[in-house]
Amino acid sequence: MDKTKKDIRIVTGFAAVAGFAVAVSGMALASERPFGLGTIATAEQVAGWDIDVRPDGKGAPIGSGTAVQGEAVYAERCAACHGDFGEGVDRWPILAGGHGSLATNDPVKTVGSYWPYASTVYDYVYRAMPFGEAQSLTHDETYQVVAYILNMNDVIDDEFVLSNKTIGSVKMPNRNGFSLPDPRPDGQPKGEPCMTNCKVSTKIIGRARIIDVTPESQ
């Protein structure tokens, strides 16, 4: 198959009517598609969506930052929700600590105790944070914030320069904590999986806001 045909395409279907852009995996040139609709996405448009960072660091954008640099950015953009030292505010997530707690009755899932790769921290912070202002951080600011979070969790020291060249080398404490098959008793398969008419009744026993797991201000 021609390489061009393998590229991801963004096709605007009936956008003029519905007002939405529809993204699909294109397989052919516009002239070869059944309805001839849409336009071929440019390399720049594809790059705007292609922002994931893989565990080995592949896909990490060019940039760098240290924990020292990240402290100021974190204080301004993150601390209001996550606390000055990652301790969490109200019900907002705790980012630091919790080491060794995952196997207890009160597990504390933080970047240091739970996340397997630094790349996913970068990816999430850049993609979704700060809350309500997603993707407002520059690449350098994101590296700086992630470096500060990793430093709070004793994963890297003050001098470590987190960058597109080093993020894949960071060894997270729980890197080997994810394994298959799932060893948990409730994760084991029970008989043959249902393939038809599988709908089961669902009983709602609580809602997040009522049981106070969602910050009241949201």
Side-chain angles (χ1 to χ4, degrees):
M1 180 180 292
D2 187 275
K3 182 179 183 303
T4 304
K5 297 178 181 179
K6 297 179 181 178
D7 293 342
I8 297 175
R9 312 293 187 197
I10 299 175
V11 180
T12 55
F14 293 93
V17 176
F20 294 100
V22 181
V24 300
S25 296
M27 288 74 69
L29 298 174
S31 60
E32 299 174 329
R33 293 195 292 271
F35 301 104
L37 298 174
T39 57
I40 303 299
T42 66
E44 290 75 16
Q45 290 171 326
V46 173
W49 288 88
D50 186 16
I51 61 174
D52 64 298
V53 182
R54 301 181 187 180
D56 61 0
K58 186 176 181 179
I62 296 174
S64 64
T66 66
V68 175
Q69 295 171 319
E71 184 174 7
V73 181
Y74 178 92
E76 180 181 352
R77 308 297 300 277
C78 315
C81 294
H82 297 292
D84 291 337
F85 303 100
E87 71 274 22
V89 175
D90 296 331
R91 292 289 184 175
W92 295 109
I94 300 172
L95 300 181
H99 299 282
S101 70
L102 298 184
T104 70
N105 291 328
D106 188 22
V108 179
K109 295 182 179 180
T110 73
V111 170
S113 71
Y114 185 71
W115 291 53
Y117 302 107
S119 60
T120 54
V121 184
Y122 180 96
D123 185 272
Y124 184 78
V125 171
Y126 182 75
R127 187 184 299 271
M129 292 287 113
F131 182 78
E133 299 179 75
Q135 298 186 30
S136 62
L137 296 175
T138 66
H139 294 314
D140 282 341
E141 288 174 332
T142 305
Y143 281 114
Q144 293 165 7
V145 167
V146 174
Y148 184 65
I149 295 171
L150 295 177
N151 182 258
M152 285 194 295
N153 281 283
D154 299 321
V155 176
I156 63 174
D157 59 35
D158 294 345
E159 306 300 325
F160 186 87
V161 179
L162 189 68
S163 71
N164 55 299
K165 296 181 180 179
T166 64
I167 194 168
S169 67
V170 175
K171 302 295 184 184
M172 301 295 285
N174 197 40
R175 168 172 285 197
N176 298 321
F178 294 80
S179 59
L180 293 175
D182 190 341
R184 296 172 297 182
D186 59 353
Q188 303 309 308
K190 299 177 181 179
E192 294 295 324
C194 177
M195 302 301 290
T196 59
N197 300 320
C198 303
K199 185 177 181 180
V200 297
S201 61
T202 301
K203 181 180 180 182
I204 299 175
I205 60 174
R207 296 184 182 279
R209 185 174 297 278
I210 295 175
I211 61 178
D212 195 27
V213 297
T214 302
E216 294 181 355
S217 60
Q218 301 302 316

